[in-house]
Amino acid sequence: MYNHFFKRIFDFCLALFLLALFFPIIFVTALLLKLTQGSVIFTQYRPGLNEKIFKIYKFKTMSDEKDENGELLPDEKRLKAFGKLVRSLSLDELLQLFNVLKGDMSFVGPRPLLVEYLPLYNEKQKLRHNVRPGITGLAQVNGRNAISWEKKFELDVYYVENLCFLLDLKIMFLTALKVLKRSGVSKEGHVTTEKFNGKN
């Protein structure tokens, strides 16, 4: 009952409230990104509930700088000081409140990953698409980008199989603590995390 009815009502009402509450922060972040790197919003297609593709919204934390061959520079060179701050405070995720309003996402659930990963999942890992993806999830409060893909998927599947209101509340509380500590933002040796190749 919670997953199929109350969770969606809770998500919608909370997203509406938080958009109103955080509007000044959203406005200032957008303005400073525009002034420091010229672009504000990053959009990308991601698989959601039942692998249905949707467009995710995030603040753009990296510039579009290219080398002499017209290729994008490595992530670490395109991630400037303000972009690092936005990412470390998880402000880049605020625009996903619009995804929650639309019903593409939930506050809590497995993070929506790249479409190109879909053929790489095994049958167990595919279970992560049995629920709406989340702004935060069990993997995010247990290491975020600092843990292995295997561990992330293990936590995602555990969430799907044990989804309940109390678990969601626990994850949201732990998420708030993680944001305050700014922990697990990147994997060692990477600006964010390494790409999933079906093995790592």
Side-chain angles (χ1 to χ4, degrees), residues 12-167:
F12 183 87
C13 293
L14 184 58
L16 206 58
F17 171 74
L18 291 180
L19 277 171
L21 180 67
F22 291 134
F23 176 77
I25 295 176
I26 292 173
F27 177 78
V28 170
T29 301
L31 180 62
L32 291 176
L33 284 173
K34 182 66 176 177
L35 292 174
T36 57
Q37 63 184 35
S39 53
V40 176
I41 298 176
F42 171 82
T43 62
Q44 191 175 57
Y45 289 102
R46 301 283 179 93
L49 177 63
N50 299 321
E51 300 185 3
K52 180 181 178 181
I53 308 301
F54 71 96
K55 184 184 289 187
I56 195 172
Y57 306 105
K58 298 180 71 173
F59 276 125
K60 191 170 184 178
T61 55
M62 288 190 280
S63 69
D64 293 320
E65 294 176 272
K66 299 179 180 179
D67 59 23
E68 61 275 8
N69 299 316
E71 300 291 330
L72 287 172
L73 293 175
D75 289 354
E76 60 271 15
K77 292 186 177 180
R78 294 188 293 121
L79 186 61
K80 308 300 182 182
F82 185 64
K84 287 181 181 179
L85 178 63
V86 169
R87 184 170 288 188
S88 70
L89 293 173
S90 296
L91 296 179
D92 54 322
E93 313 289 356
L94 280 177
L95 294 187
Q96 287 165 50
L97 291 172
F98 291 104
N99 287 117
V100 175
L101 279 182
K102 290 172 59 183
D104 298 325
M105 295 178 63
S106 175
F107 274 98
V108 182
R111 284 294 296 165
L113 302 176
L114 299 177
V115 175
E116 66 189 70
Y117 293 169
L118 286 175
L120 304 178
Y121 299 137
N122 61 39
E123 291 305 309
K124 189 75 170 178
Q125 292 166 349
K126 287 180 180 179
L127 294 178
R128 69 192 314 279
H129 295 291
N130 287 355
V131 298
R132 283 187 178 87
I135 294 178
T136 186
L138 199 56
Q140 282 60 54
V141 298
N142 284 280
R144 200 174 173 181
N145 287 329
I147 60 176
S148 68
W149 281 109
E150 182 181 6
K151 184 63 177 178
K152 285 180 188 178
F153 293 139
E154 178 184 317
L155 291 166
D156 287 344
V157 172
Y158 178 89
Y159 174 80
V160 172
E161 294 177 339
N162 295 275
L163 194 161
C164 67
F165 181 60
L166 288 179
L167 181 57

